[in-house]
Amino acid sequence: MRAIIKKAKKYMQNRRYNKISSPESYAIGSAQWLQAVEKKFGGYVEGVRRHKVSKRDPRSVEQLSVGGMIGGDRMFHHNYASEYSRALSPLLKDRSANLTIVEIGILQGTGLALWKELFPNADVLGLDIDTSHYNNNLPRLLENGAFIAGQPELHLFDQFVDGEERVREILNGRKPSIVIDDGFHSLETIENSAMAFKGYLSNSFVYFSEDNKDAHIPLRKVFPNKCITSENSLCVVEDFHEA
Ligand SMILES: C[S@@+](CC[C@H](N)C(=O)[O-])C[C@H]1O[C@@H](n2cnc3c(N)ncnc32)[C@H](O)[C@@H]1O
């Protein structure tokens, strides 16, 4: 019985996914637009084989050899689109601003393409332990119309190891307004990366941590006085000041 319900749910989800129109059909920055752009730039992928992991990755060789990584799943499959649309709304008032946006955990670059589409003049920085999946997928992203306003900057980054010093080097004076942590997703790496970025964020910022329902625990430690919301395995730290 459970298997039938699961199958039916999957079928209904696929139907809804197939019904998503092209981004032009929706208001820019709306939840539907975010889902449509994610789909346009490749959408949901699964079983992406790991080429490189952290020396401090706690998983066994056996665990690492099965399954694979999933990407392009934040807006529709995880259903984070409404929360992203809401939390980004203060910044959407000026999409032409020269913001700095950092995504940790980029896989094939679907997210990077989405951020650049949303904020064309932003410096979009992609950080990952392994940038090869992005590099291999770049021709496909370009074919699908990504990065018309310029390509993102890529940096090797290990969330277990790299801290404040590496972040300072990567940012080189820039102050991110948006940080998305979609990397390793453990409480240790969530705290490490938040600690590393904390001192370098813009005066107004939003910090997203995906796919760990307990992320609010380390994030409350790192950002004790900030507004933190946690829903549906997405934790958002917000600090906005009127210009
Ligand atoms: C869920 S995928 C990211 C999906 C991507 N954000 C998207 O929009 O499709 C997770 C990514 O985290 C990276 N990763 C895994 N361990 C990491 C670590 N220790 N430090 C940094 N990145 C890591 C993987 O290489 C992979 O690219």
Side-chain angles (χ1 to χ4, degrees), residues 45-51 64 66-71 107-108 133:
V45 286
E46 61 183 2
V48 181
R49 291 268 163 227
R50 295 175 189 90
H51 299 150
L64 288 167
V66 293
M69 295 180 286
I70 296 175
L107 201 64
Q108 296 188 331
H133 299 288

Side-chain angles (χ1 to χ4, degrees), residues 92-112:
L92 286 170
K93 286 179 196 151
D94 182 10
R95 287 183 53 235
S96 64
N98 176 218
L99 309 172
T100 297
I101 304 175
V102 177
E103 179 171 323
I104 311 168
I106 61 170
L107 201 64
Q108 296 188 331
T110 309
L112 298 180

